[in-house]
Amino acid sequence: MYEGHLVQTIWGEMKYIPDHFAQVLDHFKDFHDEHNDEHQKFFQHLARRFGRLIFSLYRLIQKTEGRETSLDWFTEKMVEHELIGDFQISISQSKAMTTDQKLINFLTTTFMGICDENDDNYLSSLICVVETLFEWYPVNHEACEYAMVEMMNSVALKKVNEENANGFIIY
C-alpha cells in the first residue's frame, strides 16, 4: 500500500511529490514497528527503492521551509540502519535502468539540482524526467504536462547551457 502510493505520486501529480511523500511516510511511521522483522525488511526495501529521492526531498524541505516532516524521520532511520549509500546518480547509468527506477533517479537529481542551486543539473534532470514520462504517457497526461510546463518555465527564466538547450529543443 505504501509503495503503491509513492509510485502513484511520482507518476501522477508531480507538483505534490514532497507533500505526498511526507504524508505517506507519516502513515508509514505510525505503522512501522522497529521490533517486527517484516516491518524492518519493508523499511529496507523502501529505503533501497526511494531512499535517495526521500533524502533529496528532505533536503529540499529543510532548505525551503525548514519544517520537520516524516522525511526527517525516514532519513534518520536510513542513517541509523546504515542504509544510506552513494548518492551519486549518473544520468547515463540511469538511462539504462527500468523506467520506474529511471524516473526515481531523475526526480532525485532534479530535486538535488534545486537544493544545490545548480540550474544546469536541474534542467538536465528535468529534461530526462520528461523523456521518461513520454515513454509511458501521452503528452496530455497530467504528469507530462506539469513536467513540460516546468521545463518551459525553467528555459524561459534561467540561463541555459548549450547541451540543455538542445535537449529542450527536442521536446
Side-chain angles (χ1 to χ4, degrees):
M1 175 176 80
Y2 298 108
E3 184 174 10
H5 286 297
L6 295 176
V7 169
Q8 186 177 17
T9 298
I10 65 171
W11 286 99
E13 295 186 62
M14 295 181 66
K15 64 183 170 187
Y16 300 117
I17 288 175
D19 291 332
H20 284 187
F21 262 62
Q23 289 171 4
V24 170
L25 292 178
D26 278 341
H27 289 281
F28 180 71
K29 180 181 174 183
D30 293 340
F31 160 81
H32 183 66
D33 178 2
E34 280 284 323
H35 305 293
N36 184 311
D37 286 340
E38 290 300 314
H39 290 209
Q40 285 301 100
K41 288 178 185 175
F42 187 64
F43 178 87
Q44 291 170 2
H45 168 73
L46 289 179
R48 280 189 301 276
R49 182 138 190 233
F50 298 102
R52 293 178 190 177
L53 179 56
I54 290 169
F55 176 73
S56 68
L57 297 172
Y58 156 77
R59 277 192 62 205
L60 177 71
I61 289 178
Q62 289 302 307
K63 186 175 185 109
T64 59
E65 301 173 25
R67 65 182 166 95
E68 274 197 35
T69 67
S70 55
L71 300 168
D72 299 75
W73 169 80
F74 197 90
T75 301
E76 288 170 11
K77 288 291 177 195
M78 285 193 307
V79 170
E80 180 182 315
H81 295 289
E82 298 179 0
L83 297 171
I84 298 274
D86 182 14
F87 276 92
Q88 297 298 321
I89 298 174
S90 158
I91 287 178
S92 60
Q93 287 176 332
S94 293
K95 286 186 177 188
M97 296 178 167
T98 65
T99 304
D100 221 27
Q101 192 59 50
K102 280 194 301 192
L103 183 60
I104 292 168
N105 284 356
F106 294 143
L107 287 169
T108 300
T109 56
T110 299
F111 286 115
M112 293 300 265
I114 293 170
C115 294
D116 296 340
E117 298 178 26
N118 186 326
D119 291 343
D120 290 337
N121 286 348
Y122 165 74
L123 186 55
S124 175
S125 296
L126 188 56
I127 290 169
C128 290
V129 166
V130 171
E131 288 175 355
T132 304
L133 289 170
F134 280 170
E135 289 178 19
W136 286 97
Y137 287 128
V139 177
N140 64 349
H141 187 274
E142 189 173 349
C144 292
E145 183 179 328
Y146 178 78
M148 285 290 291
V149 168
E150 282 298 308
M151 186 173 64
M152 288 185 284
N153 286 338
S154 296
V155 168
L157 299 174
K158 299 180 183 310
K159 198 175 187 179
V160 179
N161 68 25
E162 183 179 340
E163 181 181 332
N164 287 338
N166 288 333
F168 171 75
I169 290 170
I170 292 172
Y171 286 97

